[in-house]
Amino acid sequence: MTALAMPRDLLRQAQTVADDFTAHTGVAVDATELLTGRAAQLDIAPHGQVSAGGATRLLKARDGWCALTLSRPDDIASVPALLQDDSVDADPWPAVGGWAAQHSAEEMAERARLLGLPVGVLGETAPAPPVVSPLGPTQTGSLAGVLVADLSSMWAGPLCGQLLARAGAAVVKVESPSRPDGTRAGAQEFFDWMNGGKLSYAADFDDPSDLAVLLRAADVVIESSRPAALARRGLGPDTVAPRPGQIWLRITGHGVSGEKAGWVAFGDDAAVSGGLVGKRRGAPVFVGDAIADPLTGLHAAAAVADSRTRGGGELIEFSMAAVAAGYRSRSGDETDVIAKRPVSGLPGRELGADNDVVRRLVAERNDAPC
């Protein structure tokens, strides 16, 4: 059985958020299952400065620590530019570690971010609640029967959508055929856990007229791309006329203010940015499996449920690093947690399998009075 070293306070705090979601929806949620489910499915755990998934490393800089993620082909291809060395070996990590040791953490992060690499400086992000802004007219109601347009990918956003589906929402997973959710190429079991029970809708993001109709009809929109990506297509919350009570949920790595809006993040480096690490022999080690992802997904679902009871009409913006920062633990508070395998659910749908169903559903909603 897979065991993960997790702070006791983290588990208690996360379960409090899960209980809040249950209070709003009546759906019981086990926070430990959410935080450890992928580790149980894939039989993985972090190894000190190496993340559970293996794509992120904690690197010692001259004056501190950074976490760098090399999970995408483009990330690997950027390493020679990062190091300014064309002779990097097939395994880039020894060279990256040697380069990091010669630079400050801030210098390392600045150069990595110029190249679009996911990086976090240990403890650079302070705890902060989501930013909530008025979006449009309100309309109270439960989550049962609402239409959710889930434009997110990977883990945090899809987990939020999955929890809303458990609460009775009709969740539409929206993907581009040219750039589908990356988890489709990974373990089928994890993809199904995140996306089972959702309708699958294939949309051309470069011709967004069809997608705009769906977003106008949705009661909840979930997106996890950098804000400019949708805005330049005319699909942001400022340009799509919302239904009464619509909730627009935006999940980013580091927030939407200034240069941080362009910073890329994954769950492990975002957690390090928030200071959510353990300690071993005085050095930081990874906590859990990409822990900022499931924590943010859980918080986001609870925030949507809470907003729905207030009548919605809100834009809610989460930073994964800021969520992780809210879970910084006291030294010595860790315990070994046996990872819980998620209860089997419905399989994920083939990309675009439900396009006709979604179009009929949207047409019915647009013809009906709000």
Side-chain angles (χ1 to χ4, degrees):
M1 294 184 290
T2 303
L4 303 175
M6 304 273 279
R8 294 181 180 86
D9 285 351
L10 184 153
L11 295 172
R12 286 193 290 265
Q13 188 176 342
Q15 188 58 52
T16 298
V17 179
D19 292 343
D20 181 56
F21 181 79
T22 300
H24 284 299
T25 65
V27 177
V29 175
D30 183 344
T32 301
E33 177 189 318
L34 297 186
L35 301 185
T36 67
R38 190 180 79 151
Q41 289 177 331
L42 306 183
D43 191 23
I44 56 176
H47 298 281
Q49 277 91 41
V50 180
S51 67
T56 309
R57 304 287 174 99
L58 272 159
L59 303 169
K60 192 173 189 330
R62 275 202 321 250
D63 59 350
W65 290 82
C66 283
L68 178 68
T69 299
L70 301 176
S71 64
R72 304 165 298 181
D74 287 350
D75 298 334
I76 302 294
S78 296
V79 171
L82 177 69
L83 307 185
Q84 297 180 301
D85 183 353
D86 292 332
S87 61
V88 179
D89 293 337
D91 177 5
W93 286 114
V96 171
W99 174 81
Q102 299 173 26
H103 294 78
S104 71
E106 184 177 348
E107 289 170 343
M108 178 185 165
E110 181 178 8
R111 180 157 184 80
R113 285 165 177 156
L114 283 173
L115 296 169
L117 294 170
V119 64
V121 177
L122 178 59
E124 67 182 336
T125 301
V131 177
V132 181
S133 310
L135 180 63
T138 61
Q139 181 171 295
T140 57
S142 71
L143 286 171
V146 305
L147 179 63
V148 178
D150 181 3
L151 280 64
S152 67
S153 61
M154 305 305 286
W155 196 346
L159 174 57
C160 175
Q162 177 58 237
L163 292 174
L164 299 183
R166 294 186 197 180
V171 181
V172 178
K173 181 170 182 62
V174 183
E175 298 171 84
S176 165
S178 62
R179 194 172 181 178
D181 187 335
T183 58
R184 283 190 179 274
Q188 184 69 40
E189 191 175 8
F190 178 70
F191 180 83
D192 290 348
W193 179 35
M194 289 295 102
N195 299 293
K198 299 178 184 179
L199 299 169
S200 178
Y201 189 75
D204 182 356
F205 281 71
D206 293 322
D207 181 16
S209 57
D210 186 38
L211 185 53
V213 175
L214 170 60
L215 298 185
R216 285 195 294 270
D219 299 294
V220 179
V221 178
I222 303 171
E223 52 116 334
S224 60
S225 57
R226 284 173 283 183
L230 289 179
R232 66 171 175 261
R233 294 175 170 86
L235 295 174
D238 297 330
T239 54
V240 175
R243 292 172 63 84
Q246 187 181 80
I247 300 165
W248 192 291
L249 176 71
R250 172 175 286 158
I251 296 174
T252 64
H254 296 272
V256 298
S257 300
E259 64 178 357
K260 291 184 177 181
W263 292 358
V264 182
F266 287 90
D268 286 302
D269 54 83
V272 171
S273 177
L276 179 52
V277 295
K279 282 190 176 181
R280 188 177 302 164
R281 302 184 191 91
V285 295
F286 286 107
V287 165
D289 172 25
I291 194 71
D293 269 312
L295 284 175
T296 303
L298 173 59
H299 276 257
V304 169
D306 185 45
S307 178
R308 183 73 179 165
T309 63
R310 295 194 304 270
E314 295 178 327
L315 167 64
I316 305 173
E317 296 173 305
F318 275 93
S319 153
M320 292 202 302
V323 171
Y327 283 82
R328 290 174 178 167
S329 62
R330 295 189 299 272
S331 179
D333 189 41
E334 294 184 358
T335 185
D336 285 336
V337 177
I338 301 301
K340 290 188 176 182
R341 180 175 289 274
V343 177
S344 297
L346 297 171
R349 304 278 287 165
E350 284 187 27
L351 179 56
D354 303 300
N355 273 33
D356 290 341
V357 173
V358 172
R359 290 193 178 109
R360 286 197 298 270
L361 181 59
V362 168
E364 291 169 0
R365 291 172 67 82
N366 286 334
D367 290 341
C370 294

